[in-house]
């Protein structure tokens, strides 16, 4: 996962979430604001330490076999990316919404287990900041992707998951005041993002 891919996915939201779904076009000033913010988000995420990421590590891809064994499917898009990426996919699953205290507990559990298994000791606050930044990036992309799948692939089945994706983005924006200007601008076009 590099800055170019993060950036492309954010543009995917503009093309499909704003333009195709909402019928909105960014003004030149809004476009400049989005470009600056998207570049900053993409660079920040690209700078994170990278490891294996499944990319779609979510409820629909986690199976319990008749033997009781667990299986993970749909891993053909795996890339090297930040360790929080799969946590965003799982804990911010567009198909199964989890409550905030549970998400908080699971993030803390992850950090505890990571250290117990010989991984680095990571501070919660910066780890959570990256989790929230990835939530903004990933869930904006998801919302746009769901519209793309409807309009281009003629499969409307994912449209019902847009509200959850945008709720996650709105919540993450609330935890990232450094993105307030982007949040306000996008919420002007996508009311579901309004506080």
């Amino acid at each position: 996962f590099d800055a170019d891919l993060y950036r492309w996915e954010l543009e995917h939201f503009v093309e499909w979430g704003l333009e195709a779904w909402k019928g909105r076009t960014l003004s030149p000033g809004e476009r400049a604001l989005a470009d600056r913010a998207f570049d900053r988000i993409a660079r920040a995420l690209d700078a994170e330490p990278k490891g294996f990421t499944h990319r779609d590590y979510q409820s629909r891809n986690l199976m319990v076999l008749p033997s009781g064994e667990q299986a993970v499917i749909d891993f053909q898009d795996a890339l090297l990316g930040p360790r929080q990426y799969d946590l965003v996919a799982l804990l911010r699953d567009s198909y199964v919404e989890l409550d905030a205290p549970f998400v908080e507990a699971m993030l803390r559990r992850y950090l505890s287990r990571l250290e117990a298994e010989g991984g680095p000791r990571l501070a919660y606050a910066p780890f959570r900041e990256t989790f929230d930044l990835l939530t903004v990036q990933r869930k904006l992309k998801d919302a746009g992707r769901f519209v793309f799948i409807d309009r281009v692939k003629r499969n409307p089945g994912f449209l019902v998951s847009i509200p959850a994706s945008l709720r996650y983005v709105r919540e993450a924006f609330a935890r990232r005041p450094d993105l307030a200007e982007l949040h306000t601008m996008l919420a002007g076009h996508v009311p579901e993002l309004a506080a």
Side-chain angles (χ1 to χ4, degrees):
F1 235 124
D2 62 13
D4 290 341
L5 182 53
Y6 289 121
R7 192 70 169 75
W8 181 89
E9 289 185 344
L10 288 164
E11 288 301 325
H12 197 64
F13 172 74
V14 171
E15 180 179 359
W16 294 100
L18 283 179
E19 295 172 0
W21 184 47
K22 293 296 184 180
R24 303 298 295 262
T25 302
L26 297 178
S27 70
E30 290 172 329
R31 181 71 259 183
L33 187 161
D35 285 342
R36 286 191 307 274
F38 289 172
D39 286 344
R40 192 167 45 108
I41 291 168
R43 284 192 310 271
L45 293 175
D46 186 34
E48 287 293 313
K50 292 175 180 56
F52 175 86
T53 58
H54 178 283
R55 288 187 64 209
D56 283 321
Y57 193 76
Q58 55 201 9
S59 60
R60 293 183 176 182
N61 294 329
L62 305 175
M63 306 291 158
V64 178
L65 303 176
S67 65
E69 291 181 291
Q70 297 174 9
V72 179
I73 63 169
D74 196 21
F75 50 83
Q76 68 273 7
D77 291 327
L79 292 173
L80 294 177
R83 59 176 43 97
Q84 292 94 329
Y85 196 90
D86 283 344
L87 290 170
V88 168
L90 182 64
L91 298 174
R92 294 299 190 209
D93 190 327
S94 295
Y95 316 118
V96 178
E97 289 186 74
L98 305 171
D99 64 24
F102 181 78
V103 171
E104 174 97 6
M106 290 301 98
L107 290 173
R108 291 185 181 279
R109 181 178 189 271
Y110 173 86
L111 291 174
S112 174
R113 294 300 307 148
L114 179 66
E115 184 180 359
E117 295 293 328
R121 181 178 192 183
L122 301 174
Y124 179 77
F127 187 84
R128 180 62 194 246
E129 287 176 7
T130 300
F131 177 86
D132 290 327
L133 190 61
L134 272 165
T135 297
V136 168
Q137 188 276 334
R138 165 66 190 256
K139 293 297 151 178
L140 284 176
K141 184 273 293 185
D142 284 355
R145 194 70 183 164
F146 296 154
V147 175
F148 171 85
I149 292 169
D150 172 50
R151 303 280 175 92
V152 175
K153 307 283 186 180
R154 303 288 183 233
N155 179 356
F158 293 94
L159 293 176
V160 299
S161 298
I162 291 174
S165 296
L166 295 178
R167 275 193 295 279
Y168 293 141
V169 173
R170 186 179 66 230
E171 292 167 10
F173 270 138
R175 295 176 63 91
R176 295 293 309 238
D178 58 312
L179 298 175
E181 195 176 13
L182 177 64
H183 181 198
T184 300
M185 185 271 289
L186 291 177
H189 295 288
V190 182
E192 294 87 345
L193 291 175

